[in-house]
Each structure stands twice: as C-alpha cells, then as structure tokens.
Amino acid sequence: KSLLIFILLFFFSKNSLSKECLTKKDLKIGLIENNYIDYKYYLYYALGEYSSDNEVLFDINLVDNNADEFDIIFGEFGDLKKLSSNKIIIPDRLQNFYKNNDIEILGNIFPLDLDTFILLSKNEIENLTFEELIEIYNPVKYTLGMSFLTNEEIINLLIYHLEEPSIDINSSSFELTTNLFKSIYKNINKNILNNNFLEVYNSFENSENVYTLFSDGILLNKNTDFNKFQLFPKSKYIWNQEKGIFEDNLEANPISFYGFSAYLNNLQSSGFLCYLINEKVRIKAFKDFNIQLSPLSLNEVKSIENELPTAYIDILSKKNKNIFTPNYSLEFKKYNLFSEVFFNKKKLDTIFLDSLDYLNN
C-alpha cells in the first residue's frame, strides 16, 4: 500500500511539474544568425531582464553543428526546421498562448513571429493592384524598395503571390507573377537589392522610394513614421484551375510565414520562453525593437488595439488563417530558374526549357 502511494505521489508530482514553466539557473542560449536581421541585441536585452528577475546566469553563442549543447536555440523558423525534432512536454502556459492565437505548436519549435508582406510609404496613395504599382513613376523616387539578400524571403514572396504552398514553375499563375516582377524591376531601387534590413529601413527613412517592402511588424515600431501602408498588392487577376481562365481577384488575403522562432531542447529551460510570451514583454518587443517582430494574431495586441490603424487590425485578424511553411530545400533547386527572370537575365520561356532539364536530372 505504501509503495502504491509513493508511486502515485511520484507520478502526480512529475506530471504537475511538466505543466509548469521551469527556471534553469544556468541558461545556454544558441543563435542561428541570418544575414538580413540581427536578433542578438534583442536577445541580450530580454535575457538581461529575465536573468535579473530570476537570478539566472546565461551565455549566448552561435550554433555551429552543436545544437545539443544549448537549452534554447533562436533563429529563423526555416533554419530551426533543419534541426532534429525532439519530443518535449509543453507547459500549460505555452500551450494556452498558442491556442489563444490559433497557432499550432510544431514539435519543439515555437514561432515568435508571423510575417506577412506589406508596402510602406511616406506618401498618401490609394490602395493599388500589382499592375497599378508597376505603372507608378516618380521623377525623384524609385517606385519600390526591397532586398533580394535572403533567398528564403524571395521564395516566400513568390509563394505569397501564387497563394500556393509550393512554386509550380509551369503554372499560369507563375507566368503571370514572374512577368509582374520582371516589369517592376526597372523601377526598383537597385542600390539596396543586396542590403540588410537596417539599410532597407534607412532607405525608407530617407524617402528614396514611393513604397518600401517590409513585414507587417514594422507598423508597431514606435519610431516608424509613415503615411500609408497596404498588403503587398497581388495581381488583379487570379487563375481558376477548374475553368482554365483568369478571373478578377476580388479579395486579397494575407499569406503568412513563420519568422523568428525558438527551438526548445529541454523542459527545464522553458521559463525563458514563458517570459518571452508575457503580454508586456511582447508589446515592448514589437514597439521598442526595430527587428520587424510581428504578432501571431490580433489577440496578442488587444491591449493596444485602439492605437492601431483599422486596416492593420483587419490584417491581424486574418494573418493566422493562411500560414504556409515552404519546403525551402526543394524550392532552392528552382530558385535560379525564376530569380534570373526577376533580374531580367533570362526570358520567361527559356526557364521552361531549363526546368525540363532540372526535372530530368
């Protein structure tokens, strides 16, 4: 009888602890860097605040084939997906946070950023379609400022316009979309095509472009001064596969992609993740750190909803309904085929011949 009571108490204690956010006193944090946005300063600040409140020591180092050495690894979602997935018990607080934002937890990877594409402008311009964007000409400004530095973002951008989870280079939608990008290339700010986020942001601040491409989190940064924003416009036409014709595209809904995320290696270090999802901590991250950190849903910013533009509230209410997680390793194989059309290095019809060679290899 005593043995049975001990087993029950042990099981109950272990099960209860598994539902709690646990604080490890010596945290080893890993970071997978990317060349577009530097997240180090945000992590140092957040860890500094957390360690001060919880008497925790921490280390931050870059990940280099040593993922098992870290308690938590931060980086872009696509990079974290390359790591081996671990089964882990998820504390109730994390479970509830993602449930409230209608986001599925993906193994031991916890998205902290859900991006959709917007255009930001210092000018007062009516909402427009992609075709109308191409027609904008300003004698002293570029029509569009954006960066092609990160291949993953270009893949996301194309998928955003195709509204399909993968890129079919033989589809009519692909042909339409690549022609649109090819047409706007002449009015793109080529000085920042290979620049990082801060350089693109400076281009926006210096009013070099009529429109500049960002992810939607830029709207929450307290220092961002803008007059107009809209979802990156899609074509005014959409391909109807069943009818085999292009139809009017009456509604442009946001397509979203996971960005900055956390890879949790063990339950004992879950306390820092639970700290990061605290409402005040999240609002501060959105407002005070210029890293384009975007809310997972409208639910995250309910306390400041009255400060937000109505059009952004509409985006936030929809952005978690269409989340795509591209297979980047597969899309990279096609990247050169469509990027060369974007840069006017190849004609569209030639890449179909190249794609046949690719498919036969």
Side-chain angles (χ1 to χ4, degrees):
K1 184 176 180 181
S2 298
L3 179 62
L4 177 61
I5 292 172
F6 174 79
I7 292 172
L8 288 172
L9 286 173
F10 176 78
F11 176 78
F12 177 77
S13 174
K14 184 177 180 182
N15 193 51
S16 296
L17 284 174
S18 71
K19 294 181 179 297
E20 298 293 328
C21 297
L22 301 180
T23 301
K24 189 169 181 279
K25 293 300 181 182
D26 186 9
L27 272 178
K28 295 189 181 301
I29 302 296
L31 174 63
I32 299 178
E33 284 191 313
N34 74 92
N35 54 3
Y36 190 63
I37 296 182
D38 188 351
Y39 296 108
K40 281 199 304 291
Y41 302 103
Y42 167 66
L43 282 177
Y44 271 113
Y45 176 85
L47 279 162
E49 292 285 299
Y50 175 73
S51 65
S52 176
D53 293 343
N54 296 278
E55 298 181 347
V56 168
L57 298 175
F58 68 88
D59 242 350
I60 299 180
N61 289 289
L62 299 182
V63 177
D64 184 17
N65 297 318
N66 58 343
D68 292 341
E69 297 178 11
F70 300 100
D71 297 306
I72 310 175
I73 298 172
F74 292 91
E76 293 294 331
F77 178 81
D79 291 326
L80 297 179
K81 281 282 286 182
K82 297 174 187 175
L83 303 175
S84 299
S85 180
N86 294 330
K87 288 186 177 180
I88 196 163
I89 297 171
I90 301 171
D92 285 347
R93 189 171 173 189
L94 285 172
Q95 292 269 22
N96 292 335
F97 172 76
Y98 286 96
K99 182 179 179 181
N100 291 338
N101 286 290
D102 200 17
I103 299 289
E104 178 185 1
I105 297 176
L106 303 156
N108 61 320
I109 299 178
F110 298 84
L112 298 169
D113 179 24
L114 183 63
D115 299 321
T116 192
F117 291 106
I118 64 161
L119 297 185
L120 204 59
S121 180
K122 289 181 177 289
N123 297 18
E124 286 288 350
I125 302 175
E126 294 301 316
N127 280 6
L128 35 76
T129 64
F130 205 153
E131 286 85 354
E132 291 167 335
L133 178 65
I134 292 167
E135 295 302 317
I136 289 180
Y137 172 76
N138 187 296
V140 296
K141 295 182 182 181
Y142 300 99
T143 301
L144 178 62
M146 62 179 294
S147 173
F148 278 78
L149 183 62
T150 305
N151 292 355
E152 287 89 345
E153 278 296 277
I154 302 306
I155 289 169
N156 288 350
L157 189 60
L158 188 50
I159 286 175
Y160 167 91
H161 282 88
L162 296 174
E163 299 191 20
E164 296 290 343
S166 63
I167 299 169
D168 179 3
I169 61 178
N170 295 303
S171 69
S172 297
S173 296
F174 175 83
E175 182 177 357
L176 171 64
T177 301
T178 48
N179 270 324
L180 290 171
F181 275 104
K182 181 179 178 181
S183 297
I184 203 170
Y185 182 76
K186 65 182 182 296
N187 291 327
I188 279 182
N189 185 347
K190 299 172 185 64
N191 298 315
I192 59 170
L193 275 178
N194 293 305
N195 289 11
N196 63 30
F197 163 67
L198 287 180
E199 291 164 330
V200 173
Y201 185 79
N202 287 337
S203 175
F204 165 76
E205 286 286 276
N206 293 330
S207 300
E208 294 178 1
N209 322 298
V210 177
Y211 276 106
T212 310
L213 176 67
F214 294 106
S215 65
D216 63 289
I218 197 74
L219 298 170
L220 295 173
N221 177 25
K222 65 183 181 183
N223 295 319
T224 302
D225 181 25
F226 62 93
N227 286 320
K228 179 69 179 178
F229 74 92
Q230 69 167 95
L231 285 170
F232 193 122
K234 300 177 184 179
S235 172
K236 60 183 177 181
Y237 303 112
I238 189 169
W239 180 252
N240 186 314
Q241 187 66 38
E242 291 183 3
K243 296 180 181 178
I245 59 172
F246 281 104
E247 297 180 326
D248 290 338
N249 191 5
L250 301 177
E251 185 175 11
N253 288 318
I255 303 294
S256 304
F257 305 87
Y258 294 125
F260 183 67
S261 303
Y263 175 98
L264 184 61
N265 252 336
N266 60 69
L267 178 65
Q268 283 68 35
S269 55
S270 60
F272 181 51
L273 270 188
C274 293
Y275 168 80
L276 288 180
I277 63 169
N278 177 279
E279 181 184 11
K280 289 184 179 178
V281 174
R282 289 288 280 171
I283 297 294
K284 187 174 184 63
F286 300 144
K287 285 188 169 185
D288 293 357
F289 292 88
N290 193 15
I291 52 175
Q292 291 192 112
L293 204 63
S294 304
L296 302 180
S297 76
L298 179 60
N299 185 67
E300 277 217 81
V301 289
K302 279 289 186 182
S303 63
I304 58 168
E305 186 176 349
N306 63 334
E307 302 174 21
L308 305 180
T310 303
Y312 189 39
I313 292 173
D314 183 56
I315 290 173
L316 288 172
S317 68
K318 297 175 180 176
K319 66 181 294 190
N320 62 346
K321 305 298 189 292
N322 294 293
I323 302 172
F324 287 168
T325 55
N327 182 341
Y328 293 111
S329 60
L330 178 63
E331 303 302 345
F332 283 153
K333 295 178 181 178
K334 314 171 203 171
Y335 181 81
N336 287 338
L337 296 178
F338 57 76
S339 65
E340 289 181 326
V341 177
F342 285 8
F343 289 115
N344 278 336
K345 292 180 180 178
K346 280 191 176 182
K347 293 183 178 180
L348 189 61
D349 54 359
T350 63
I351 78 162
F352 293 118
L353 295 175
D354 291 339
S355 70
L356 291 176
D357 292 336
Y358 156 71
L359 293 170
N360 288 328
N361 286 334

